[in-house]
Amino acid sequence: MNIEYIGLTLGFIGAAAQAANYAFTKDCVEKFHLAGIRQLIAVHILMFLMVLPLFLYFGYLKYLNTTTLMYLVMIVSPYLLAQYLMIKALTIADSSIISPLLTIKVPILAFISFTFFGASFSVTQLLCITAIISLGFYFSSLSGRVKIGPLCFITFACSCFALSDIAMTHFMQTLNTTRFHQICAGITYEYIACALFAVPCMFIKKFSIHKKEILQTKWVGTAWIVSMIGVVGCFNLSGVIEANIIQTLRSVLGIIIAYMFYRQYITDHNTFKKKMAIAIGMFAAVTLYYI
């Protein structure tokens, strides 16, 4: 199998895991009342504990130098800022309105890649990107009207996520090793660096986290790590824009997951049918982008 298609397969797995992560996040809030920044702290401590054995076993400390530290700042700082902006957006708007708008990241990445890295796109690919964004906004509108405040937060969050994605892609290219270890080192370094922020925060009274609460995020963290393996693997093997194009399928997969596990709670079947139609359209646009 072509290495790019292996990357796209990983990207699809990552998108599926992200869709599952949203469901597990909601479940964690409802079961344990662990939400917002407190859940973010707990899950990042858990992911730190998950990646640390791999970091030590493979001896990735040998890659620690000033270049690595510079890239980690460029990866983690916008990533954490984006997470904070997402939380701010979700506090003033429902997740069903906000989540589809993450497709905004695709044109932001395309613009950065075209302007600074000489990327080029065919007319068909540009039309597919436009279709993906339009469907994302329509998907969002079915859940309610998006206000300017949440839209600004999500746009800035997507810009920060885009910068973090690009930094991660370039960081992996600096590692003189196999693609497997580039991907593995990139992920482990990111979540060890995130722990430098998360661990001190768990002792702040306002955000205090108990050990049992870290364990309560086990499915959230597992889905998140699996999604990162898929997405970062796609960055490395196929490209950052390609990974984010296929990531837009999380909306499609989210609808499928919602139908499989939460269909008894669906009351507005007409709106749900529209969302299914949008999901099919999104899948078609993503498929056409790669043809």
Side-chain angles (χ1 to χ4, degrees), residues 2 5 29 40 52 55 57 72 81 91 107 124 131 147 150 156 172 183 188 214 220 252 264:
N2 185 294
Y5 288 113
V29 173
L40 200 65
L52 184 60
F55 184 84
Y57 178 78
L72 285 177
L81 178 57
T91 57
T124 301
K147 296 180 180 178
F156 285 128
M172 288 188 288
I183 295 164
T188 56
I214 295 172
V220 180
V252 179
Q264 65 270 29

Side-chain angles (χ1 to χ4, degrees), residues 112-163:
I112 293 172
S113 299
F114 173 78
T115 305
F116 298 102
F117 303 107
S120 60
F121 305 92
S122 68
V123 173
T124 301
Q125 287 177 324
L126 291 173
L127 288 173
C128 289
I129 290 172
T130 302
I132 289 167
I133 302 305
S134 301
L135 288 169
F137 270 86
Y138 182 46
F139 197 112
S140 174
S141 71
L142 292 176
S143 299
R145 180 173 170 270
V146 61
K147 296 180 180 178
I148 189 67
L151 183 59
C152 288
F153 280 129
I154 201 69
T155 301
F156 285 128
C158 286
S159 299
C160 290
F161 278 132
L163 292 173

Side-chain angles (χ1 to χ4, degrees), residues 233-255:
C234 194
F235 288 168
N236 188 280
L237 301 176
S238 303
V240 67
I241 296 175
E242 286 70 15
N244 278 277
I245 290 288
I246 205 162
Q247 267 185 283
T248 60
L249 290 178
R250 59 179 168 250
S251 300
V252 179
L253 298 166
I255 287 292

Side-chain angles (χ1 to χ4, degrees), residues 18 71 74-80 82-83 102 105-106 108-109 112-113 117 157-173 190-191 227-228 231-232 234-236 239-245 247 250:
Q18 280 188 339
Y71 273 110
M74 294 167 64
I75 293 166
V76 173
S77 296
Y79 164 77
L80 291 175
Q83 292 289 4
L102 288 171
K105 191 167 82 164
V106 175
I108 292 172
L109 268 170
I112 293 172
S113 299
F117 303 107
C158 286
S159 299
C160 290
F161 278 132
L163 292 173
S164 180
D165 290 352
I166 291 170
M168 172 62 84
T169 304
H170 285 276
F171 169 57
M172 288 188 288
Q173 292 171 355
E190 178 173 2
Y191 290 104
S227 76
M228 285 300 99
V231 171
V232 174
C234 194
F235 288 168
N236 188 280
V240 67
I241 296 175
E242 286 70 15
N244 278 277
I245 290 288
Q247 267 185 283
R250 59 179 168 250

Side-chain angles (χ1 to χ4, degrees), residues 16-59:
Q18 280 188 339
N21 173 263
Y22 295 152
F24 289 137
T25 298
K26 179 181 178 181
D27 195 52
C28 187
V29 173
E30 292 180 351
K31 280 185 178 178
F32 308 114
H33 306 290
L34 185 61
I37 292 178
R38 292 185 70 249
Q39 186 184 126
L40 200 65
I41 293 168
V43 76
H44 277 86
I45 293 171
L46 177 72
M47 291 190 292
F48 162 72
L49 296 173
M50 292 170 73
V51 302
L52 184 60
L54 288 174
F55 184 84
L56 296 175
Y57 178 78
F58 288 123

